Structures are given as structure tokens and as C-alpha cells.
Amino acid sequence: VDQGKLLLTLEGGTGSSAMLRQSVRQLTKVVPSITYDEGTKNRVFRFDPKDFAAIREAIGAMALSNAASRMLQKYFDKLAKAERATSKQSIKRYSKEKLGLTVNLREQQAQAVAWLDANDNTGICALDTGVGKTGVAVATMQNLRRKPDVMKEGNGRFLFVCKRALAGNLPKEIFKFVAGDVEAKELVDMTDIVTYFGFSKNRDKDEKWGDDYVAIFFDEAHERLKKKESAFYKKISACKAKRKILLTASPMVRSPKE
């Protein structure tokens, strides 16, 4: 562990060692939090605990220092906490009264909102078609709005990225789910909606565009992000917004890996 990051040192040489180094170097191109130290000939890399699975998949077995083991344990404890957050008792905190909604969320929706909240509202919301992922997005926005310190971050706004054909759905869902036209209109006014192409175009003009949103929601994310080599995947991965939420049904009908 060095400067709050896990430090990976690979062997030099040719053959299989060179292939391992190249595999990790490729990860740095698509995962911004995985970096390499200049001048080390691709031998020294730094990454966050959340990247451990990707690193392990790339190189296989590895030896861990005591400090690295403790950091990873702390991270996995956090994941366990997120799992506990979805218990029936815990999700009662996300009632319609507390979130300012017109109706109570379905159990799966409430679990999704709770799980995201336990993960600082960053992650993948993978719910089957028809369960109501947009409703989860609206409820998550409402939950974040009730956290004054969070809403002071960045520009204090939300960004919703979707296909052009679906761009008009979110305002309708907000007025459907949020209690009171005044509060619903406030949420609509503080939420920017762009297409995936619009997001990409804005990032091309300004590499920091989007970084200052309180949270970014990517609708039907599987259609744009299933290939790590794609331009969309790289641009969205490079975006440094603190909270990025991917909405998708893909893992429920295809495969969790995808």
C-alpha cells in the first residue's frame, strides 16, 4: 500500500511475464483508477480496492502484504454492509413519506435504492424489465436531495444520460412519482438530460465536462458499455463524477459478466 493505493509490482523479463505486464497496462486505458508508474517499464501499477477483481483476472494469483490485506478486508466489509442495507428492516427507511414520493417503492426498488445508498450511490442497478429502474433513479435523486452536504458538492445538479427516443420519459416519471408539483418541477429543473452521443460530444469538447455533477445516471447502460474497447466505455470511465449509476436489465436476461 502506498499513498492510499494498492501497489502492484510485476516481474521483469519476457514471455509470460511480459504478457502479464501488458494485460495490466491495457487495464489502465479503460479504468482511470488503475495507473502505472512512468519509467518502470510497465512493472509498477497502482489501483483501488474496487479494481482488485479486474487485476486478479488479468494476472491470476498474487501475494499480498499485511497492509494490502487489511485495505481489501476493509473494502469487502463495506460491501457486506451494503448487503445488510437491503434487509426488510433497513429498507423501511426508504418509504414514500421519507423520500417525498406519491407511492411506496416495490420491495426490489427499495432494495436497489438502499444498496446504492450504502455504496455512496455508485454502482449498477440491474433490475428485470418492468420492475421500474427509472423509478429507482427518481427515488435515488430524492434521497440525495435530502442530504444537504451532498447537494453542496459540485454543481448541485443531476445528469441523466439516455437514448434519444427515451429522453422525454424521465420528466414524466418525475411528475408521476414525486409528491407535489412544486417539488417535482424543482427536480426536473435541476436534472439535465442528454443522449449518449451528446455526452460523448461534450466530453470531446471539454474532457472535464460532467465531472462536477452530484450524480450521473446512465439509462440502458448495457447498450453502450458492454465492450471495454468502445469509445463510450472509455469516456464514461474517464468521467470523474463522484457518483455514477448504471441502469440496466442486461445481467438479468443475459449474463452478470456482461
Side-chain angles (χ1 to χ4, degrees), residues 92-181:
K92 291 180 180 178
R93 294 181 297 167
Y94 304 93
S95 65
K96 65 178 184 179
E97 292 81 10
K98 293 183 178 180
L99 295 182
L101 304 176
T102 56
V103 296
N104 277 316
L105 298 169
R106 298 176 182 177
E107 183 175 354
Q108 286 176 292
Q109 289 178 309
Q111 288 177 333
V113 174
W115 186 88
L116 287 169
D117 200 18
N119 282 282
D120 197 16
N121 293 285
T122 294
I124 300 174
C125 175
L127 295 177
D128 206 353
T129 301
V131 172
K133 293 181 290 298
T134 306
V136 170
V138 173
T140 298
M141 292 176 185
Q142 285 291 90
N143 186 41
L144 287 170
R145 289 181 70 190
R146 280 152 175 74
K147 300 181 179 185
D149 290 342
V150 170
M151 295 308 297
K152 291 178 182 178
E153 298 174 1
N155 62 10
R157 301 179 63 80
F158 301 116
L159 178 65
F160 193 83
V161 186
C162 61
K163 297 189 296 185
R164 182 180 298 277
L166 301 177
N169 286 358
L170 181 63
K172 295 177 183 178
E173 292 295 299
I174 290 176
F175 278 104
K176 175 183 175 181
F177 282 107
V178 175
D181 288 345

